[in-house]
Amino acid sequence: MSIIFDKNNKTFTLHTKNSSYQMQIDPYGFLLHLYYGRRTEGCMDYLLTYADRGFSGNPYDTGADRTYSMDVLPQEFPHTGLGDYRNVACTVVNADQSRCCDLRYAGHEIRKGKYFLKGLPAVYADESEAETLEITLKDAVSQVEVALLYGVLPEADIITRSAVVKNGGSDTIYLEKLQSACLDFVGGDYDLITFHGRHCMDRMYQRHHLAHGTARIGSRRGTSSHQYNPMLILADPETTEDFGSCYSMTFMYSGGFQAEVEKDQFNQTRALIGLQQEGFRYPLEPGDTLTAPEVILSFSTDGLNRLSQNLHSCIRNHVCRGKYKNAIRPILVNSWEGAYFDFNGETIYQLAVHAKELGIDMVVMDDGWFGKRDDDFSGLGDWYVNEEKLGESLGHLIERINALGVKFGIWIEPEGINEDSHLYREHPDWALSIPGRKPVRARNQLVLDFSRKEVVDAIFNMICDVLDQGNIEYVKWDMNRSLDAVFSRTAKDQGMVAYDYVLGLYDFLERLTQRYPNILIEGCSGGGGRFDAGMLYYTPQIWCSDNTDALDRIKIQYGTSFGYPVSSMGSHVSAVPNHQTGRSTTLQVRSVVAMAGTFGYELDLGTLSEEGREIVKKQIKEYRKYAQLINYGVYYRLTNPFEEEAAAWEFVSEDGSEALLNVVMQDIHGNMTVDYIRLRGLIPGRMYRSEESGRLYPADALMQTGIPIPVEYKAYRAYQIHFVAE
Ligand code: GLA
């Protein structure tokens, strides 16, 4: 039993292999949070303290007890209206416009298996792998009900949370704020780790100590965004990659979000994550419900590497779905950086010819094959193959490519629309825009109103017509701008549109994956502008960044690795000088970096020299040899590339019998000092042979003192060493 209800002290305890989570229904019916941390037994309500706290209000039924205040007590689902002046999880506006709710325990249910969320992605598990706890809270005046959902996956060390709000009353109410999870800590000494960024510099790592006030990140862009990733980590200040306690909250949602971490007046910490509040005002008619997207929680006492490993296996095994879930993905070459919009069918065919010779599995025809699309000013929305440009039908091109023994993939951007398109001329109102005002353009395009079913259906049909034209085995789903005029012509209330847009997107993706179970879908949004666990439910890999520069990619992939597995990170070897930075690195460096992802190429293969072709062939062989270890082994960050000149990471097999060490030297100096890279995860006491040199190394020395990186006076050197236990 991983979920236990103790009738005597009214506690719920959720146990995973290494963590416990506890809450209690107190005498007034409030659901208080007691504990989340290292696995333990027993009741932790001794952690609740009561003191007379001036200026902190007391719920009416606590009478003259001035020590009982929601402003101080740790809670599971704090809400507006009970005197909690901290950031709350939920604000209900009643029919009389009062902002108030008083949620008390009304019942609970413990079930086998993991709950599902209607219309939203959620962690899934077999009946035997998970349990669900549903606690119902109710407001006696308005009859508003909240079902708090907890999913426990003991072996995965994962707890999930969601909340379903129901209007059980007889008048329309509005939700003004809805967060999916709250973690209250009675202590206040934490570091906050978040991942900020921008287009082409996605998910930069940042760690800082929490001070009084609220640290807030989020996205108002309608997508999860390049600017902040929807996840956070709270760590004890002394926590490192290998030691110490840390917690993660991953929001499984692809739209606007917010996360607030507050250190309050009594040095307590509250962390909340959920839907973006700005612009959100969701009406609920009597009987209606609204579901807060899921949050994935994990806890580690063994540092950040373990926390990330928990998240990696959760995402690989309980989020990603479909044929490619645990399969090695095809090595692909994408046409974008090699040809941009300037190609025809023969260009793509020739790419496939080179691909075949080099051992690449698939060619992907990126943007530019449909409508009138020779630049980004026109064509989006016209999902008809431009046979004139290709010089042949899509079916014919695919047949020619397949005949070479090469697979074929295609790029789409279903949510985008250009004003210069047939679709826009026919349905200008299908674009999100405000009547009577000029829209904000970005990349010369607008966004379709996916909160409307007829729009989603129409685009779905157009895309299916294309996908039915031949043996398409991969789709790159792009989304190249942020939402701006979040205004829908048909919405009952504009406060619903941003959320309903994301439901429309998920509905489309769900139908697409059902109809084409054999197609591998790679998500993309100007690279990693929508890199989140919600998208990974439909697209098991996401183009990690529009920046393919190997040195920048090290930092981008390092940040991404905190929350997401290597098998989810689209990563390609591109041409030099790099198109985003102008930097030149060797094919070896580019390949080692791309091998920390799904591995592929993104350049005109025809421009490779004979020597380059031989190197590429060798890289592909090497990738195939290590692909299982890379994608499904245990991933360790060995250094912090923001602070150290050696960027190092390692893949270790589950049983520790082999390890692949990867090192890129990011800098070069005169009379270099020697970097020793310490390995992790090897079996103590065993000897490991380096496949390259044949030399034997003791595991303990490799983990304690490390392995010296050769001193070579060349910029940006990369090393890959495969160790096998004897
Ligand atoms: C986005 C993607 C790129 C490419 C272009 C095509 O920027 O991230 O990889 O597909 O769109 O327009």
Side-chain angles (χ1 to χ4, degrees), residues 49 149 193 211 221 228 317 337 376 456 477 541 596 626 629 647 675 715:
T49 59
L149 292 162
I193 300 173
R221 294 168 179 269
Y228 294 100
N317 299 316
E337 287 198 20
D376 57 27
V456 170
W477 179 303
Q541 62 192 56
Y626 300 131
L629 181 60
D675 285 283

Side-chain angles (χ1 to χ4, degrees), residues 21 95 160 228 296 356 365 398 427 462 465 506 616 665 683 698:
Y21 186 112
T160 66
Y228 294 100
I296 303 170
K356 179 67 192 168
M365 180 165 70
I398 297 173
H427 299 287
M462 278 195 258
D465 281 348
Y506 288 152
V616 167
M665 298 304 291
I683 308 165

Side-chain angles (χ1 to χ4, degrees), residues 336 341 366-367 373 411 443 476 478 480 524 526-527 543 546:
W336 182 243
F341 292 107
D366 208 278
D367 195 356
R373 185 75 174 167
W411 178 98
R443 209 193 189 215
K476 177 172 168 189
D478 212 337
N480 275 320
C524 178
W543 182 226
D546 264 353

Side-chain angles (χ1 to χ4, degrees), residues 74-91:
Q75 296 159 66
E76 281 300 304
F77 197 65
H79 46 281
T80 306
L82 286 173
D84 188 342
Y85 295 96
R86 296 170 286 182
N87 297 304
V88 293
C90 181
T91 303

